[in-house]
Amino acid sequence: LNITGGVCPIVDCSKSLVNGQCGGAKNGKCEVDPNKDCAWEKIYQRLAKQGRLEEFLNQPVQVRDYSKVNFKVINDYVKSIREDRLNGYYGGVHPSEHKEFSEHIDLKKFPDPKTVVISMSQHLGAPANPIVEVGDTVKVGQKIGEAGGFISANVICSVSGTVKGIEPRLMANGSMVQSIIVENDGEYRTVEGFGQKRDYTALSKQEIRDIVKEAGIVGLGGAGFPTNVKLMPPKDATPECVIINGAECEPYLTADHRLMLEHGKELIIGIELIMKALGVKRTIVGIENNKRDAIEELDKLARLTDGIEICPLKIQYPQGGEKQLIQATTGKFVPSGGLPIAVGAVVQNVGTVYA
C-alpha cells in the first residue's frame, strides 16, 4: 500500500492487477465496471500528487515463477479454507461478544417483589383466561390462567398472596395485556405436591406431555411456543432427532452459559424426558466454542447417558435460530416456510429443557 499510495490494487482493481493497468480503461473508468474508477489511474494520480510517480515507475516488476509453485498444497489449502467457511450454515457474522461482563457470575434468584403483575400472554398463541378473582388467596405453583386454545399455555403463579386486580397492563413489547396483579405475602406457600420428587423414569409419554402442559412450560429461547405442542408432532411426521439450543450466539447474553455450567445434571434429565416423550434415540446439544467449560461439563455428563451428543459450534450469529442450528448440527436444510419436523428435528432451548 505504501508503494501504491494507499490505494489497494487487489481490492480496487476489478481484475486485481498488481503490475499496472490492463489498458482497457476509458475516460478513467474500468472496462469491467463502467461505474467504477480505474484503480491504477487513481494510483498514478495519487503518486503524481505526492511527487512519487517516478519512484514507483522505477520499481522492478515481480514475475512469479509458477513452475516452482506446489499446486497440490495450495489447492488443498484453498479447499480446506472454503469448507471451513461454509461449515455449519451459509452466512452469518461474528459480532463482538462482550460476554466477559457476566459469564463468570453465578445465577442469582430475583429479589422478592412486593407486587407481581402476571401476564396472561407469556407465550405464542391465544392468551390464557384468568381462573381466579380479585380477593382470592393464591399459592406458588397454582394455575391462575387456563390455556385459551390448542396453541396456548397455562399460567402459573410464582408467589403466594392476594389477587388485587385483573386488568390490562403494559408489557415490554408495548402492548396492553390482560394481567393478574398479586400482592406478595413473602411466605411463598405452595400448592400440595409442588416440588415433590417423583420417579421420572417411570413416566409414560403421555404423562410427560400432560405434566408439561399443566405446568404451562413454553419455549424459553424467545418465541414462547407451547412445549407440550412440540412434544406432539403431527401423525404424518416422524421425529428422528432432538436438537438442544445452547448456542447463545447473541452479544452480552450469558444466562444459558451459566445454566449449562450450574445445572448440567438437570439438563440431562430434561433431555431424557423429551427423548422419551418423542420416542427418539438421538439428541444433539449445540454449544458455541466460546463456552468451552460448558462443553466439557455437559460432555462429561452426556457420556453417562445413551444417545446424547455434545456438538461444539463455531461462533456465528444468528446460529441460535432453529433453521441455522439444525443445519449446523445435522447438515439438513429446512425449506423456506417449513418447520423443523420436516427434516425430522425437534428443537428445544436449554432453558426449556431445565424447566
Side-chain angles (χ1 to χ4, degrees):
L1 286 176
N2 179 53
I3 294 172
T4 56
V7 179
C8 179
I10 300 295
V11 174
D12 289 344
C13 175
S14 297
K15 300 179 181 180
S16 297
L17 300 178
V18 294
N19 287 316
Q21 282 180 305
C22 66
K26 294 181 179 179
N27 300 319
K29 298 294 183 181
C30 173
E31 72 169 348
V32 175
D33 182 0
N35 296 315
K36 185 176 182 180
D37 292 332
C38 171
W40 276 101
E41 289 210 15
K42 288 165 62 178
I43 291 171
Y44 294 149
Q45 291 167 4
R46 178 79 60 83
L47 292 173
K49 189 175 181 179
Q50 295 175 353
R52 299 174 52 219
L53 185 56
E54 195 66 30
E55 172 193 337
F56 171 73
L57 294 175
N58 289 331
Q59 289 282 338
V61 174
Q62 299 294 324
V63 180
R64 177 175 290 174
D65 185 353
Y66 285 93
S67 67
K68 295 181 180 180
V69 174
N70 189 329
F71 174 78
K72 186 177 186 308
V73 170
I74 293 176
N75 190 56
D76 290 346
Y77 172 73
V78 170
K79 185 178 179 181
S80 68
I81 291 297
R82 285 176 175 167
E83 287 176 350
D84 181 65
R85 181 172 65 86
L86 298 176
N87 185 38
Y89 65 92
Y90 184 77
V93 296
H94 183 175
S96 298
E97 297 168 29
H98 299 300
K99 294 178 182 285
E100 67 277 6
F101 296 115
S102 58
E103 62 186 356
H104 59 287
I105 301 174
D106 293 343
L107 295 172
K108 304 291 184 184
K109 182 178 178 296
F110 196 82
D112 293 349
K114 293 181 179 180
T115 303
V116 182
V117 178
I118 304 176
S119 165
M120 293 294 101
S121 185
Q122 302 181 43
H123 51 271
L124 192 71
N129 299 311
I131 56 174
V132 293
E133 296 179 355
V134 175
D136 285 356
T137 298
V138 293
K139 297 179 180 180
V140 175
Q142 179 178 337
K143 180 166 68 174
I144 58 176
E146 191 162 37
F150 179 67
I151 306 297
S152 184
N154 295 333
V155 176
I156 310 299
C157 194
S158 55
V159 299
S160 61
T162 305
V163 176
K164 290 296 183 179
I166 300 175
E167 59 195 46
R169 285 295 185 95
L170 183 65
M171 295 294 115
N173 63 1
S175 61
M176 298 295 289
V177 176
Q178 188 78 340
S179 304
I180 296 174
I181 295 86
V182 180
E183 184 178 74
N184 184 8
D185 61 16
E187 297 180 11
Y188 288 89
R189 291 170 288 114
T190 63
V191 295
E192 186 178 351
F194 181 82
Q196 183 178 346
K197 290 187 177 180
R198 67 182 104 194
D199 182 6
Y200 71 92
T201 62
L203 296 172
S204 68
K205 288 183 180 181
Q206 193 56 49
E207 285 174 328
I208 294 170
R209 293 167 181 163
D210 290 344
I211 290 169
V212 169
K213 180 180 180 179
E214 190 64 20
I217 296 174
V218 300
L220 296 176
F225 192 84
T227 301
N228 68 291
V229 179
K230 271 195 176 183
L231 297 181
M232 296 186 295
K235 293 181 179 179
D236 59 347
T238 303
E240 300 171 0
C241 180
V242 175
I243 310 294
I244 304 300
N245 183 1
E248 198 167 48
C249 58
E250 301 86 354
Y252 295 99
L253 303 189
T254 59
D256 287 351
H257 183 182
R258 294 307 309 180
L259 184 66
M260 290 185 283
L261 275 179
E262 299 176 34
H263 297 283
K265 291 180 180 179
E266 294 95 325
L267 289 176
I268 296 298
I269 292 172
I271 291 171
E272 290 178 319
L273 287 167
I274 292 171
M275 291 173 70
K276 188 171 185 178
L278 290 168
V280 302
K281 301 296 184 183
R282 185 188 184 201
T283 289
I284 304 173
V285 184
I287 309 173
E288 288 197 341
N289 271 320
N290 54 4
K291 308 171 190 60
R292 295 304 308 177
D293 48 359
I295 291 172
E296 292 170 8
E297 174 66 16
L298 287 185
D299 186 59
K300 180 177 64 178
L301 294 170
R303 292 176 186 273
L304 305 175
T305 304
D306 292 335
I308 302 177
E309 309 165 24
I310 308 302
C311 178
L313 303 169
K314 69 178 182 179
I315 304 164
Q316 193 174 10
Y317 178 89
Q319 194 147 231
E322 275 191 333
K323 294 181 178 181
Q324 288 81 4
L325 187 63
I326 291 169
Q327 193 170 354
T329 53
T330 69
K332 294 181 179 180
F333 180 78
V334 180
S336 178
L339 296 173
I341 195 63
V343 294
V346 176
V347 182
Q348 298 285 2
N349 177 266
V350 289
T352 314
V353 176
Y354 179 65

